[in-house]
Structure formats: structure tokens, C-alpha cells
Amino acid sequence: MFTIKSNHGYDKIIEWARSILPERNRLKENFYAAKSMMKPLGLGYQKIDICPNFYMLYYLENVEMTECMTCGHSRYKPRTGRGKTLVAYKKLRYFLITSRLQRLFMSPMTAEHMTWHNYRSSAFHREFENNYLKCHNYRRITIHRHFTESSKIIT
């Protein structure tokens, strides 16, 4: 599709989406309103600089490095003018899963769906395994009979 390069672009898309939705929709009016709604949820992300050629992450023990170990490409764009801040060529946004899982487990309904495997009884497992084995053995016996009968015909 296309990349949204600015808040203005996001606002234009929201404006278009609101125009095709029913009048009493709950879609936020602009980027600022959407961002202010999401911030209290605590679903942030961590920015990690990466090599422009995707060879390495500048993370953990490599956080202080300024050049890629593999290709030797610089981590930061050259400074122009009076800019004192270093700007990385590429950034990875790492969305932490812990806070998202905690948020999902807060609701009893979603927690039930996410832990269904924990509540299965051993009787359920035995019944499933018995039915599976019966079906599997039946197929194997049927195939075996087919081969033995066809080999008798040939000889």
C-alpha cells in the first residue's frame, strides 16, 4: 500500500475513513486523539538501531558500536549543519509482548480462551488418543488387507 510519513497523512486517512463510516462511529478525529487514547494502555515499543543492510542490531552488547561488524557501514547519518544529535539510518521498533499479554489476561473472557489447553482433562486426552489410535489402526489394517489381497491376485 503506502507509508504514512507524517501526522498530516494519518489525519487525511482518518478523515477519509470517517467519511465512509456511519455517522455515529467511534473512530478518533486525528492522530493526536488516537495517540492520546493509546498511551494510557501502556502498549509502547522499544526503538533499536539496525544496520542499513540488515546485518546486525545495535542492541545489548553492541549498543555502543558505530559501525556494522559485517559490512562496515556507519550506524548514523552524516551530520548536516548544526545538528548535534546522531540520527540512525534505520530503526527497528520492538513491540514488547509482555504488556500485551498482561492486557489480554485482564479480561476473564480472553483469559479463558488463552488458557484452554491448561484446563483440558486427562480423560479428554485419553478419549482423543483412543479415538485417534482406533482410526489409525483401522486405516492401517485396511491398507494391509488391500495389499495382501492384491498380492494374492497377482501370484
Side-chain angles (χ1 to χ4, degrees):
M1 203 165 159
F2 58 89
T3 306
I4 301 170
K5 299 276 185 183
S6 67
N7 298 350
H8 181 69
Y10 183 85
D11 291 346
K12 288 290 184 185
I13 292 171
I14 293 295
E15 183 181 320
W16 171 79
R18 288 178 67 86
S19 70
I20 61 172
L21 290 172
E23 283 189 32
R24 295 185 60 172
N25 67 66
R26 299 176 70 188
L27 189 63
K28 295 295 179 182
E29 301 82 35
N30 54 27
F31 178 76
Y32 177 75
K35 191 172 180 180
S36 64
M37 180 187 77
M38 294 298 290
K39 190 163 181 132
L41 294 176
L43 301 176
Y45 56 88
Q46 182 178 1
K47 290 182 186 176
I48 302 170
D49 295 345
I50 62 173
C51 170
N53 298 323
F54 302 104
Y55 284 114
M56 71 174 280
L57 300 174
Y58 298 101
Y59 185 64
L60 296 179
E61 66 273 355
N62 301 327
V63 76
E64 298 297 323
M65 294 181 70
T66 57
E67 290 183 352
C68 178
M69 292 186 298
T70 307
C71 67
H73 197 284
S74 175
R75 175 180 181 177
Y76 301 109
K77 294 178 182 178
R79 294 182 187 181
T80 57
R82 296 185 185 183
K84 293 184 180 181
T85 59
L86 297 171
V87 179
Y89 275 102
K90 289 193 183 267
K91 290 185 182 269
L92 168 78
R93 284 166 178 81
Y94 172 59
F95 295 94
L96 303 168
I97 194 165
T98 308
S99 58
R100 284 160 172 73
L101 287 174
Q102 287 173 343
R103 182 74 50 193
L104 286 170
F105 276 102
M106 287 175 74
S107 168
M109 291 182 72
T110 56
E112 180 183 341
H113 291 295
M114 292 178 66
T115 57
W116 65 271
H117 61 279
N118 193 30
Y119 296 113
R120 290 187 295 189
S121 64
S122 58
F124 172 80
H125 284 296
R126 281 195 300 273
E127 182 182 340
F128 175 77
E129 288 173 0
N130 288 338
N131 289 338
Y132 174 77
L133 290 175
K134 283 178 189 175
C135 179
H136 183 69
N137 286 335
Y138 174 76
R139 287 183 187 156
R140 189 173 60 196
I141 292 168
T142 307
I143 291 170
H144 178 69
R145 280 187 196 151
H146 174 72
F147 280 117
T148 54
E149 289 173 1
S150 58
S151 64
K152 288 179 186 176
I153 296 171
I154 294 173
T155 55

